Every structure is written in structure tokens, then in C-alpha cells.
């Protein structure tokens, strides 16, 4: 599904030199490399504050702690996402409110958000799934109208642009009150272990978040708030600094692969290719509105599971993200959830299949994969 060697080989000298430097200077945690990466990422994203932390799950949790959300507060998020999003809501004893997504983009449905709002609702967590932003124009409007926080789970869309209705653009993760991301190795900007970060333009919130990631300390051994231990280590920061200047090129490689896939699948019966929206037409050439963390098809003739088996037999990697909607996961079932409110996620879990997607895919691999899919689905 992913090829992590290609990027390493092309950055080997730089990465190895930085890691050796760190080993010899013994600045393993919070060293100058972490600070340098933080500044570089702030500049890349055009955001005032980046707060590095240990992983993308922590980033979400710390963002919610920083906003002062209290047990019992309701937090609305998508039913169709990785469990980390809802897990941290539960851990903080907030009340997760899962809602349905849109059929074409796989992203949280603003109409479903609005229907789920109660007097206890405090925040919306849009997940920019598979590399494309949720409908932030409408989500920001809803949040403003109901006085809610917007926390962007940007683990899958770092580097993506969001194009607003008025044509202006902003980087994914920097649009809401606070955003989070993950540097897990297979993410679009991946390190060689775990890593994550929180983004905000709010100075006071940034200050709070910097304390929370470090045991609630603003001054050594003065613990002003309850914090956690969640730090990015210097070695991961050095890897990320080497990769960040290439992130736009990595996104472009993924988009190129996606275009080739889509060209091959276009017009095929029973196969629905991913759409890019966000006020852009087609796979927009003017902005990075979709960075294809995953390239996900919908197979509409009931052959998805058989296709997975077929591809496995041909040694073509593929994935089903996600096979079970969160509202049906044992840990998150709730009697308030009505099946009739989850028609789209219930459909998507049966139809979606993600194909290999990374920065090293070549034409031969793509045609081998597309031929295998088309041949099987429409045989
Ligand atoms: C990967 C991911 C996370 C969690 O990131 P980790 O660094 O693995 O903790 C959270 N949300 C989404 C949508 C993800 O894809």
C-alpha cells in the first residue's frame, strides 16, 4: 500500500547526518531540531503556532483539553473515520455524537451536523478524510451560528489546500480554532516513528497547549494545569525537516497517480472514482485541494469483498477503510443512534476499497493494478 523506502533513499545522506548529529549532541527531546521543524512547519502552513507532540491521537486529545471541554459536553464527529477521533472524545468523558457523511466525498455531512446540535454541543470535529477537506465553508457557518469550536482532524490531509467559496485558499488544519495532525510513517508527511502536531492561530490557546504537552508546566516544576507527556523527539523532527521541503512534490506525485487511476477507471460501470470538490472542478490543477492520502473507489455491484480477495491473490495490496462504521463498534454503540441516520456510512463500508497510493508508483504498476480491478469487477 505504501513505499517508505523511496523517500528515505533520496534523503538518506541528509537524514543520516542529522541523526548522527543528534546522537552525538544528546539533545534527544526538545532539542534545536524540534524547534527548527516547528518554525518550518508554521511557515509552510501559514499558521501562527505549531505545537509538536507525540502522535496524532494525542494531538486531538490535547486540542480538546486546551479548549477546556468538560465531561458531558457533546462533540460532533464523523461516523466514517479512524477510531482515534472518537476515542479521545470518550477518554476525556466528553460525549461523542457520531453523524453521517456525504456519499461523494466521504466527509462529514454538514446537514447531519446541524441536525445533531443540542444545547450541550460544544465542538465539531471534521476529519479531512483520505486527503480532502470537509465542507469548511458550511461547517464554519454552523459553528459561528451555534457558538461551537471547530477542531480539524487533519491526520490525512497535511499539505492540502481548502478553497473557499470566495476563491481564497487556506491550508487544511489551519481553518478551525485548532487543528491536529499525525506524522505516523504512512501518513503523507511521515517520520520514522510516532509524531504529531497541533496548529492554531490563537495565541492564548497556543500557550495553554504548550503547557499541556509538557505536564502542564510553564515554569519548571510549576504545574498550572493538568497536562500529559507528549513530545516530538529530535530524531523524528530531523526526519520531518528533511521531508517538509518535498511535501508539495510528494502531494503532486500522489495526485499524478490518482489522475492516472481515475483516467483508467473513468466510465467503467460499477466503479465510482473519488471526486474532488471544495469548490474545485475535477482534480483541480490550480491547488492541492486533494492530497490523496488514500485513493478510494466505490464498487457498486456488490463485488467489493470478492475484489479484495482477487487482488490479494494477485499480490496487489489493497485496503478497506473503514469496514465497520464507528456507531456499530462495540466501544461506541449508543442507544441514541438510529440506523436510519447512518444510511451513507452503512453503504460505504460495503463499497469502498483503497488502492496502493504513495509517491513511488510508476505507470507499469498503475496499469497492472487498474487492469486487474477492471477485469474482475466487470467480468
Ligand atoms: C492516523 C490518524 C489519527 C491518529 O494518528 P496517530 O499518529 O496514529 O495517533 C487520527 N485521525 C485520523 C483520521 C487518522 O487517520
Amino acid at each position: 500500500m505504501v513505499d517508505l523506502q523511496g523517500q528515505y533513499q533520496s534523503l538518506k545522506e541528509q537524514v543520516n547526518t542529522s541523526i548522527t548529529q543528534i546522537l552525538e549532541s544528546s539533545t534527544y527531546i526538545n532539542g534545536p531540531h524540534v524547534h527548527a521543524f516547528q518554525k518550518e512547519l508554521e511557515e509552510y502552513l501559514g499558521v501562527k503556532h505549531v505545537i509538536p507532540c507525540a502522535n496524532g491521537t494525542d494531538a486531538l486529545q490535547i486540542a480538546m483539553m486546551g479548549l477546556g471541554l468538560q465531561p458531558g459536553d457533546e462533540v460532533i464527529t464523523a461516523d466514517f473515520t479512524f477510531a482515534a477521533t472518537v476515542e479521545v472524545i470518550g477518554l476525556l468523558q466528553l460525549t461523542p455524537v457520531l453523524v453521517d457523511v456525504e456519499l461523494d466525498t466521504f466527509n462529514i455531512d454538514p446537514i447531519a451536523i446541524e441536525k445533531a446540535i443540542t444545547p450541550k454541543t460544544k465542538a465539531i470535529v471534521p476529519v479531512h478524510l483520505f486527503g480532502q477537506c470537509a465542507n469548511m465553508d458550511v461547517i464554519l457557518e454552523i459553528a459561528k451560528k451555534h457558538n461551537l469550536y471547530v477542531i480539524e482532524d487533519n491526520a490525512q490531509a497535511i499539505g492540502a489546500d481548502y478553497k473557499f467559496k470566495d476563491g481564497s485558499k487556506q491550508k487544511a488544519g489551519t481553518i478551525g480554532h485548532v487543528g491536529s495532525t499525525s506524522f505516523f510513517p504512512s501518513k503523507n508527511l511521515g517520520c520514522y516513528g510516532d509524531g504529531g502536531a497541533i496548529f492554531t492561530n490563537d495565541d492564548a490557546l497556543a500557550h495553554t497547549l504548550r503547557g499541556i504537552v509538557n505536564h502542564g508546566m510553564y515554569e519548571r516544576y510549576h504545574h498550572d494545569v493538568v497536562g500529559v507527556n507528549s513530545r516530538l523527539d529530535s530524531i523524528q523532527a530531523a526526519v520531518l525537516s528533511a521531508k517538509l521541503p518535498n511535501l508539495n512534490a510528494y502531494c503532486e506525485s500522489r495526485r499524478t497517480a490518482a489522475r492516472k487511476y481515475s483516467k483508467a477507471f473513468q466510465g467503467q460501470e460499477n466503479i465510482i472514482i473519488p471526486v474532488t470538490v471544495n469548490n474545485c472542478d475535477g482534480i483541480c490543477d490550480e491547488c492541492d485541494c486533494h492530497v490523496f492520502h488514500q485513493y478510494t473507489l466505490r464498487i457498486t455491484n456488490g463485488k467489493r469483498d470478492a475484489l479484495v480477495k482477487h487482488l490479494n491473490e494477485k499480490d496487489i495490496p489493497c485496503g478497506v477503510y473503514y469496514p465497520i462504521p464507528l456507531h456499530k463498534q462495540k466501544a461506541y454503540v449508543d442507544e441514541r443512534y438510529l440506523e436510519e441516520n447512518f444510511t451513507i456510512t452503512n453503504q460505504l463500508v460495503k463499497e469502498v476499497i483503497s488502492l496502493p497510493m504513495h509517491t513511488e508508483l510508476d505507470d507499469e504498476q498503475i496499469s497492472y493494478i487498474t487492469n486487474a480491478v477492471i477485469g474482475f469487477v466487470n467480468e
Side-chain angles (χ1 to χ4, degrees):
M1 281 302 273
V2 294
D3 176 340
L4 303 175
Q5 264 308 305
Q7 290 182 4
Y8 174 58
Q9 289 309 326
S10 69
L11 300 169
K12 191 168 183 167
E13 214 169 306
Q14 192 185 349
V15 167
N16 289 7
T17 305
S18 302
I19 292 178
T20 306
Q21 209 180 38
I22 292 163
L23 296 180
E24 282 172 3
S25 70
S26 314
T27 52
Y28 307 130
I29 298 275
N30 277 345
H33 286 87
V34 177
H35 192 68
F37 171 65
Q38 174 195 318
K39 292 284 162 209
E40 290 154 14
L41 190 57
E42 284 167 356
E43 188 156 325
Y44 174 84
L45 293 172
V47 70
K48 269 173 99 176
H49 304 282
V50 165
I51 298 98
C53 66
N55 57 68
T57 309
D58 277 6
L60 269 172
Q61 178 182 332
I62 294 159
M64 290 176 197
M65 291 170 75
L67 290 171
L69 300 183
Q70 296 297 317
D73 287 351
E74 292 179 4
V75 178
I76 298 175
T77 194
D79 188 41
F80 192 63
T81 172
F82 182 56
T85 321
V86 65
E87 179 176 271
V88 299
I89 299 172
L91 269 174
L92 294 174
Q93 294 184 4
L94 311 172
T95 305
V97 178
L98 297 167
V99 301
D100 213 353
V101 297
E102 300 171 333
L103 190 60
D104 55 350
T105 64
F106 313 116
N107 273 325
I108 193 164
D109 180 354
I111 297 167
I113 294 176
E114 192 134 40
K115 276 210 312 219
I117 291 172
T118 75
K120 287 188 180 165
T121 308
K122 287 285 153 45
I124 306 168
V125 185
V127 182
H128 303 321
L129 205 72
F130 302 154
Q132 174 168 241
C133 283
N135 188 340
M136 296 305 286
D137 282 281
V138 178
I139 291 169
L140 292 182
E141 259 169 51
I142 295 172
K144 198 168 170 200
K145 186 164 133 200
H146 297 273
N147 199 21
L148 307 174
Y149 292 119
V150 175
I151 305 164
E152 296 174 77
D153 181 347
N154 194 34
Q156 301 190 1
I158 191 147
D161 285 325
Y162 180 75
K163 193 170 170 191
F164 288 90
K165 273 188 294 204
D166 67 6
S168 64
K169 287 178 212 164
Q170 217 169 319
K171 284 284 177 208
T174 68
I175 302 164
H177 296 90
V178 60
S180 63
T181 203
S182 163
F183 303 122
F184 186 76
S186 64
K187 302 282 160 132
N188 288 28
L189 179 62
C191 57
Y192 297 157
D194 275 308
I198 312 157
F199 318 133
T200 186
N201 283 308
D202 179 331
D203 297 337
L205 178 60
H207 176 74
T208 306
L209 295 170
R210 282 188 215 291
I212 294 174
V213 295
N214 193 24
H215 302 293
M217 283 195 291
Y218 298 93
E219 200 184 320
R220 211 177 170 85
Y221 301 121
H222 292 253
H223 304 274
D224 295 359
V225 292
V226 175
V228 294
N229 169 16
S230 186
R231 296 176 290 228
L232 184 70
D233 68 73
S234 305
I235 290 178
Q236 303 314 332
V239 171
L240 292 164
S241 281
K243 285 189 172 188
L244 183 60
N246 302 305
L247 179 57
N248 286 347
Y250 295 157
C251 293
E252 195 45 46
S253 304
R254 288 172 175 272
R255 280 147 47 81
T256 301
R259 274 193 208 103
K260 290 176 182 165
Y261 273 139
S262 287
K263 206 168 157 216
F265 293 127
Q266 188 98 49
Q268 288 292 326
E269 234 182 303
N270 307 314
I271 299 177
I272 298 183
I273 58 177
V275 298
T276 51
V277 285
N278 296 168
N279 312 308
C280 294
D281 297 321
I283 297 182
C284 174
D285 282 313
E286 282 155 39
C287 62
D288 251 341
C289 68
H290 198 322
V291 294
F292 290 97
H293 176 60
Q294 298 293 347
Y295 181 88
T296 304
L297 297 173
R298 287 170 48 211
I299 306 298
T300 54
N301 61 349
K303 288 180 81 173
R304 195 275 314 273
D305 288 339
L307 175 63
V308 170
K309 200 159 158 256
H310 176 73
L311 294 180
N312 286 340
E313 277 161 15
K314 297 198 77 171
D315 279 331
I316 298 174
C318 63
V320 172
Y321 313 113
Y322 297 89
I324 304 169
L326 287 176
H327 80 275
K328 287 188 182 166
Q329 297 283 0
K330 253 193 217 163
Y332 306 111
V333 287
D334 192 304
E335 59 195 13
R336 291 168 313 156
Y337 294 140
L338 305 174
E339 284 311 311
E340 70 222 46
N341 291 335
F342 296 100
T343 52
I344 305 299
T345 47
N346 286 340
Q347 179 181 346
L348 287 176
V349 294
K350 295 188 212 129
E351 293 183 347
V352 290
I353 181 167
S354 299
L355 300 180
M357 176 48 79
H358 51 79
T359 55
E360 319 297 316
L361 279 170
D362 61 35
D363 287 356
E364 204 182 320
Q365 291 169 319
I366 290 175
S367 60
Y368 184 72
I369 295 164
T370 53
N371 288 337
V373 172
I374 293 167
F376 182 80
V377 172
N378 288 330
E379 79 185 356

